[in-house]
Amino acid sequence: MNEKNKRQLYIFATALILIPAAGRLASGIILYLGIVFICLFGTLLQYLFEIFASNYAKSIYSIVIIIFLSSIFNQLVKLFSPLMNLYTDFSIYLVSFSVLIIKFVTLKSDETIAESLSRKFLLILKYTPLFFLIFILRDYFGYGTITFPGLSKIIEINLPYPNIFRNTFFYGSIPFAVILIAIIMASIERGIRIKNYFSLKSKEKDKK
C-alpha cells in the first residue's frame, strides 16, 4: 500500500471518530484516551493469543479483543463520570473500528511487541495535533468554550465569543463538523502536494 492510500485510510479512521462525536474537547480527550487504551492492551493481548492461535483465528481474535477492550473502556468512563459517558458512549465503539484500521495499515509480520507498539503510537502521535485541533474548533465555534472532563460535570472555560456564532445550532452540528474536517483535510493534502512538488524540483535542480 502506497503512502497516499495509507494517508487516506488514516484520514478515514480519524473522521470516523470526529464526525459523529459530541463537539466538545472533553469528549475528544476521553476518545483519545480510548485509542491509547485499546491500542496498548489490544497489542499486548494480541501477542498473547497468537502464541496459541492458528493463522485463521488470529484475525478473529484481533476483532474480538478490540471490541472487548472498547466495552471495558466504556465501563471505566461510566465509573469515572456517568455524564461524560453520555457524551462518548456510542463514539467509543467507533474508536474500535479506527483502531482496526490503524492495525491493518501498520500490520507487519515478524516484529516484536515493542516494535509494534512503537509504530502504532508514533502514528497516533502524528495525528494527535489534528485530532485535538478539530475538537477545539468545534468546541469554540459551537459553544464558545474549551471543555475538560470532570467527575460530576464538564469543566467549561468560557472564551470571547463573536455574536455571529451565538444562538446558532449549525456550528455545534455534524454538518459543520463534516465541513470543518473536509477543509482541514483538503488543506493538508494540498500542503503535501506542494511540498512534494518543490522537493521534486529541488532534486531535478541538483541533478543538473
Side-chain angles (χ1 to χ4, degrees):
M1 184 180 294
N2 61 41
E3 287 302 315
K4 183 178 180 181
N5 289 340
K6 283 184 179 180
R7 190 165 61 249
Q8 288 173 344
L9 273 175
Y10 298 151
I11 289 170
F12 174 74
T14 306
L16 190 64
I17 301 172
L18 294 174
I19 291 174
R24 313 304 297 263
L25 177 59
S27 299
I29 292 170
I30 296 294
L31 295 176
Y32 184 81
L33 292 175
I35 294 171
V36 172
F37 177 87
I38 294 168
C39 275
L40 174 59
F41 290 101
T43 301
L44 296 176
L45 287 174
Q46 177 192 335
Y47 273 86
L48 178 64
F49 276 98
E50 281 183 356
I51 298 172
F52 309 101
S54 64
N55 288 331
Y56 172 75
K58 285 178 183 178
S59 57
I60 297 175
Y61 280 138
S62 294
I63 295 170
V64 171
I65 287 168
I66 288 172
I67 294 174
F68 169 73
L69 288 172
S70 298
S71 300
I72 293 294
F73 185 78
N74 194 33
Q75 291 304 311
L76 290 173
V77 174
K78 193 176 289 186
L79 288 172
F80 166 74
S81 174
L83 176 62
M84 284 308 308
N85 183 251
L86 292 175
Y87 280 88
T88 61
D89 188 25
F90 173 71
S91 297
I92 286 172
Y93 292 100
L94 292 179
V95 167
S96 63
F97 289 102
S98 296
V99 172
L100 281 171
I101 292 172
I102 292 171
K103 173 181 166 54
F104 169 72
V105 174
T106 62
L107 184 65
K108 285 187 179 180
S109 58
D110 302 325
E111 67 177 358
T112 65
I113 295 178
E115 289 170 342
S116 179
L117 285 171
S118 176
R119 283 190 305 100
K120 286 173 182 173
F121 280 100
L122 283 173
L123 175 61
I124 291 171
L125 287 172
K126 182 179 178 181
Y127 283 85
T128 294
L130 172 65
F131 186 88
F132 282 113
L133 173 64
I134 291 173
F135 273 105
I136 289 169
L137 291 176
R138 289 187 66 190
D139 205 343
Y140 176 72
F141 284 114
Y143 307 94
T145 59
I146 295 295
T147 55
F148 299 92
L151 290 174
S152 59
K153 64 177 183 178
I154 292 178
I155 301 167
E156 292 188 346
I157 299 175
N158 293 306
L159 300 175
Y161 195 51
N163 288 329
I164 190 173
F165 299 130
R166 294 183 187 278
N167 302 318
T168 305
F169 173 75
F170 174 72
Y171 295 107
S173 67
I174 288 178
F176 177 69
V178 173
I179 293 169
L180 182 62
I181 292 167
I183 291 171
I184 292 174
M185 298 303 185
S187 300
I188 291 172
E189 192 67 30
R190 182 65 176 171
I192 291 170
R193 288 182 182 179
I194 292 171
K195 179 185 175 183
N196 291 340
Y197 172 79
F198 283 107
S199 177
L200 183 63
K201 286 292 184 181
S202 178
K203 287 179 182 178
E204 289 175 354
K205 193 176 291 184
D206 291 339
K207 287 180 181 179
K208 294 178 181 179

